[in-house]
Amino acid sequence: DCPIGYYCTGSQILECPGFSTTLVVGVAYRVQDCTCQPGYSGLAYEIPLIGPTSTCSECKPGEYCPGGNIRDQCAPGMICFTPKTQQPCNLPMYCQAGTYNLTFCPPGFYCTDVITKNPCVNTLTFGYYCPENSTALTPCAEYHYCPTVTEQYQCNGTFYCPAGSIVEATCPAGFWCNTTDNTQHLCSVGDFCTTGTSGGAPDCPLGRFCPDTSQAIPCGAGKYCPLRSTVESNCPAGSFCPNASARIYCE
């Protein structure tokens, strides 16, 4: 039988020309039965008066050449580590046509499959975080802020960072923020909560009155404002008030 890599004509056993071969034993009877090896593409043929030759040329990175006269670009969703092989990609890989190096979904994008790259985009009020290998649009994590879709930073303990934060937020006036559990609470009547209040709601201080929870106004002359006052009061009967925060009982 004619061995692999050769073709047999009459009593002659002839080697297939440059980078071509035969695939099975005993079926090659002419040079045209030789085909290019995997990784090469072209034809083997006979030139009259010269002899057998081939046009088998080496395939380039990103091409898929399983042998014979086939030369294709590596298919979308596949990776060709060498031109001889083509195999499926798996998430979080990202494989466009012609992929031959191991490639993953890039930062700033999320890949729902191995051929689809979606941009990760913040809205005006809600932030997302898409590092390399992202397969879904992911909100910026709680206790963090994401100034861009490829950056995620721990929130400073004095700030308020719910999920989706683009910047470290200062607790707004009229509220206090628990930075331990990232919750925001409306202050109550008699509280005084300026911008950035955290850890609990302070009382409206002595000598001032708080008509709302975001302002503390000094009491006027002759007035009395005990702790948690919402209005300024006259000094009560039977007392004198040397200042707005002190009340002394008369004897």
Side-chain angles (χ1 to χ4, degrees):
D1 290 334
C2 200
I4 290 176
Y6 293 81
Y7 65 102
C8 300
T9 173
S11 60
Q12 291 183 302
I13 300 176
L14 302 172
E15 188 175 8
C16 289
F19 304 109
S20 66
T21 188
T22 53
L23 303 178
V24 294
V25 173
V27 296
Y29 304 108
R30 55 184 187 149
V31 69
Q32 288 88 343
D33 293 326
C34 297
T35 58
C36 293
Q37 300 170 8
Y40 292 81
S41 176
L43 297 169
Y45 58 97
E46 184 90 24
I47 299 178
L49 303 178
I50 295 177
T53 189
S54 87
T55 60
C56 297
S57 60
E58 188 173 13
C59 295
K60 297 176 183 178
E63 293 180 331
Y64 175 51
C65 301
N69 196 28
I70 299 172
R71 184 189 293 263
D72 292 325
Q73 191 175 36
C74 195
M78 309 292 281
I79 186 168
C80 300
F81 291 110
T82 73
K84 300 178 184 180
T85 60
Q86 178 173 262
Q87 60 193 71
C89 294
N90 297 299
L91 285 174
M93 295 171 67
Y94 172 62
C95 299
Q96 295 177 298
T99 297
Y100 61 93
N101 284 327
L102 200 58
T103 306
F104 294 94
C105 197
F109 295 85
Y110 63 100
C111 297
T112 49
D113 55 56
V114 296
I115 60 173
T116 307
K117 183 176 70 171
N118 306 286
C120 192
V121 180
N122 286 339
T123 68
L124 290 176
T125 58
F126 198 88
Y128 294 93
Y129 177 52
C130 295
E132 186 180 36
N133 300 341
S134 293
T135 58
L137 187 61
T138 306
C140 190
E142 192 176 20
Y143 306 110
H144 294 76
Y145 67 102
C146 299
T148 72
V149 295
T150 59
E151 299 173 288
Q152 181 171 264
Y153 300 108
Q154 185 100 24
C155 203
N156 185 300
T158 61
F159 290 91
Y160 169 62
C161 294
S165 293
I166 298 172
V167 297
E168 292 180 295
T170 303
C171 200
F175 294 82
W176 70 271
C177 295
N178 187 334
T179 56
T180 302
D181 63 7
N182 253 333
T183 52
Q184 189 182 78
H185 306 271
L186 184 66
C187 292
S188 302
V189 173
D191 294 337
F192 175 49
C193 300
T194 57
T195 299
T197 300
S198 63
D203 294 325
C204 188
L206 285 168
R208 292 174 178 262
F209 68 100
C210 300
D212 59 57
T213 57
S214 64
Q215 56 178 332
I217 302 172
C219 270
K223 301 295 182 178
Y224 174 57
C225 293
L227 204 65
R228 299 186 62 80
S229 293
T230 57
V231 295
E232 55 182 356
S233 305
N234 292 320
C235 191
S239 305
F240 76 97
C241 301
N243 55 58
S245 61
R247 174 187 178 187
I248 299 173
Y249 290 93
C250 298
E251 295 183 358

